[in-house]
Amino acid sequence: MGPLRLPSLSSIFVAPASCHRSPAIFRRLTKAGFYAQNAGEREVSGVTIGEVGNLKSNSRVQDRVITPRSQDFNAWYLDVVANAELADYGPVRGTMVIRPYGYAIWEKIQEYLNSKFKETGHSNMYFPQFIPYSFIEKEASHVEGFSPELALVTIGGGKELEEKLVVRPTSETIVNHMFTQWIHSYRDLPLMVNQWANVTRWEMRTKPFVRTLEFLWQEGHTAHATPEEAEKEALQMIDIYTRFAYEQAAIPVIAGRKSKMETFAGASKTYTIEAMMGDRKALQAGTSHNLGQNFSRAFGTQFTDENGQRQHVWQTSWAISTRFVGGIIMTHGDDAGLMLPPNIAPVQVVIVPIFKKADEKAEVLGAAIAVNEVLKSAGIKVELDDSDLRTPGWKFNFWEMKGVPLRIEIGPRDVFNGSVVISRRDIPGKQGKVFGISMEPSVLIPYIKDKLIEIQASLLDMAILFRDSNIVDVSSYDELKAAICEGKWARGPWSASDAEELKVKEETGATIRCFPFDQPQGSKTCLMTGDVAEEVAIFAKSY
Amino acid sequence: MGPLRLPSLSSIFVAPASCHRSPAIFRRLTKAGFYAQNAGEREVSGVTIGEVGNLKSNSRVQDRVITPRSQDFNAWYLDVVANAELADYGPVRGTMVIRPYGYAIWEKIQEYLNSKFKETGHSNMYFPQFIPYSFIEKEASHVEGFSPELALVTIGGGKELEEKLVVRPTSETIVNHMFTQWIHSYRDLPLMVNQWANVTRWEMRTKPFVRTLEFLWQEGHTAHATPEEAEKEALQMIDIYTRFAYEQAAIPVIAGRKSKMETFAGASKTYTIEAMMGDRKALQAGTSHNLGQNFSRAFGTQFTDENGQRQHVWQTSWAISTRFVGGIIMTHGDDAGLMLPPNIAPVQVVIVPIFKKADEKAEVLGAAIAVNEVLKSAGIKVELDDSDLRTPGWKFNFWEMKGVPLRIEIGPRDVFNGSVVISRRDIPGKQGKVFGISMEPSVLIPYIKDKLIEIQASLLDMAILFRDSNIVDVSSYDELKAAICEGKWARGPWSASDAEELKVKEETGATIRCFPFDQPQGSKTCLMTGDVAEEVAIFAKSY
């Protein structure tokens, strides 16, 4: 295996021409002429792809044209979501249909998190989605935060309901209503549950995965006897999310604490993981809240402690949603479409058989089927694209657009040599292509497994490089404004007021994403006031 | 292993005193004095349980008293659901909170079905739950069937909506709306998807799991190019459900076709699996519909066939819901509570350490932990109940009530002998108890695995025996009435009209559950009209 080649930063990024007009302009791994290159230029495995392409309708390739990412990030995103068949719009404005390929990514997220939740002592369960309106009103800041975006059921079974029902935007209220019935003494604590569910928030500006009227998520809810335990739990869960982001999704999130203004409606503290998207906007990718006793006081969720005293429980809640799928797309995608980290790719390897003459078909397909079986039995998620309806060229583009990490090509010459050709999705063109890898399982299986590990690590490295080159340390408000204006994230000491935080938002469009856990050493002075500051904050524009 | 002892039928069933007053009265495996027996009589593993019980508060056992099943089946059911912590009532009338233990059973159902769905070529995805009201009106019989039980969202984001939104009662309409956008040619067929989702039906008479305002289910939706393929798919899915019921849930359902009157609103044919509950009422436990072209015509879901002709697709849909959990409870439970088939039990084996003196604790707990690890590493779902807060007697009752198939008891004498005591949940008292099974993994693991297989088979055998002894072959309406009056199922030839089917319902309370796939040979005459009949039908009262 050759060393991983990373393009130099200067070749990746083109400075924006004018900050104020188009702060999001940037280029990364742009592959102009991508389709032409695939359809005609490359000769592989003894057959020129373009030729085969010409045998059948090659026009299909044009169906899948994607706006270049560098040209219009938003249009690119919507094209990828549509063309990679990740999601579609539902008939009700702002709703989303999650298509099988997009849902399979969500299932990978579920699988990993579910096992971590269970390992750490949480049980899955299910709370009803209809919540009496009066519940929402019980916790003052909660109702303030959520009431503008509620969907209300007012008619049931043909009759006007006496009390309007809220379609859950989140479940803290109904959870506390039930906890009150289940928790009696310290023996019933800690109570640690999770549910996988749909939630509804009447959003005005929606975008597939990132912000939809209805979305899927998991929401964990726990109750503890002491504030220390609740704090430990909230931190444990943001740590699980952080590990998931790094190790599975190859997204180098920055974990930290939200400012008071950005804290969840009803929480004492909110921890967050913030991810830098390809357009350098921040995505809040997961949150964990220390709820203190806010909900337990509002709902009277009490327990009798070991001394016989009645006390309110200390609580947490934490969630990751289908929004994370949007984060994966916007972190790793490129002009050719989606690029999936092997650990969460529904298909890790696609096999494309290549043949020209009818008499080549049997032996090529036979070899492809054999390789497919070998990899499948080794636990690798492999798909054999043996369709007669598409040309190899079309298939190359299609599976690249779908973000499959590795492609195996098998042609007549390969069958003769007992070898295959392997192409990496993350390294375009010839540099990512290796010829003559033996079909022998004892060679092929470890080779593929190694490559998948290498790609997983490479995607994370790329994303870290990108993130770190786009965070600017600032020590004054002017520097902060300049960094935000350039489309970057600004990191600087902060101890100013809520009003000043709001002023930053109004003047620059950036908010405090978090006070990162990882803090620089030494004394600091607030970038806004010059007062002593305990911590640096990260400011950025966000989704 | 001793032979399985089944009580004779005469000892199980007591004929109802008066048919019309209490058709559901019957007795099966009644264990009067269950708690007393456990708390005081048994001596196990060198410690008398009752004594240990007296050391600590034994009154807790009384917390969990369950109405005897023979006395009041409905009260028994609700007690089991509450005491085994399967579910609880939600704050909105008719809604249900599925608690961790109940949800774990649902997860077992999901796990099995999900793998079968994928094996047979279906992909999971997700459709929005909000459906424009106008969609529901498009298929005539569908709107007639569902409009009385709809929940409607009329307010979103603080505003009255222009079009009311239906909270999905089922998704055929929105599925067809989307299929219309995805299906163009025969190349796009078959399209086979499934979703795990919540659905809402505004039911007036609710019961946990069996009928709730909101419930969880999977709904499969497929589109095909020919009616033959759709029919084959509908039959394939009812077959998967049937196998699941027999092999996993140990429920000997009867699979068959619904009568025209009982067919799903919008389907051409409905296939069903019907299960006999402990009170001999029928539970429709899963359905698979051949939708024909009913929805594709209503929504214009067309494809271009191989000859270039536009045709409407042929469709199916099929579902199993959390109602199935209710079916498991009502099939296998007894006076002591739940009884779970090993294949779907979240906990297959519980280990209860037993010790009296402080100096015994370390060695007994040590052995219990070792056995726990041994079984866990063998893939057995085991739980060690090492709580200091409860007595062994309390734990015995608690885990029996939770339906755990096997209990391992370990006391000081067992540790000395290097053996354990094993009790079967399905055979009460001494008959189900075996002493002196070696702790040696090479002995214990295969012993436990064999026992679990034996219990799984035994529960199915018991249920088949019960079912078959409660189905009466009838050849006249009088015989049918007599059978129904006795609380049994009636099976007889049927070719009469819808009006006559309705008359049976009105006069006896029984409906045609299905025309079973398994039909007797020979010529038949309709029990109602005396005309020639092609098939026998099964009549029963149902949930």
Side-chain angles (χ1 to χ4, degrees), chain B residues 98-118:
Chain B
I98 307 179
R99 301 186 68 178
Y101 198 61
Y103 199 85
I105 298 172
W106 180 237
E107 285 182 314
K108 296 293 288 180
I109 296 174
Q110 289 189 300
E111 198 182 306
Y112 176 93
L113 291 179
N114 226 357
S115 83
K116 294 296 166 196
F117 296 162
K118 289 185 179 181

Side-chain angles (χ1 to χ4, degrees), chain A residues 15-16 18-20 22-26 276-282 466-467 469-472 479-490 508 510 539-542:
Chain A
S18 154
C19 170
H20 289 285
S22 54
I25 289 179
F26 95 110
M276 185 183 286
M277 300 294 97
D279 61 355
R280 297 180 293 181
K281 280 169 83 173
F466 179 67
R467 179 196 71 183
S469 62
N470 282 291
I471 300 180
V472 181
E479 286 176 17
L480 183 151
K481 282 192 280 193
I484 299 299
C485 175
E486 277 182 69
K488 296 189 173 187
W489 292 15
T508 70
F539 292 81
K541 290 184 179 176
S542 71

Side-chain angles (χ1 to χ4, degrees), chain A residues 295-326:
Chain A
F295 286 92
S296 65
R297 287 184 186 279
F299 283 82
T301 319
Q302 290 180 287
F303 70 103
T304 304
D305 70 15
E306 297 196 36
N307 305 316
Q309 301 297 307
R310 295 292 284 170
Q311 289 202 36
H312 289 98
V313 297
W314 301 84
Q315 292 181 271
T316 79
S317 66
W318 25 276
I320 266 188
S321 76
T322 38
R323 155 176 272 213
F324 208 101
V325 177

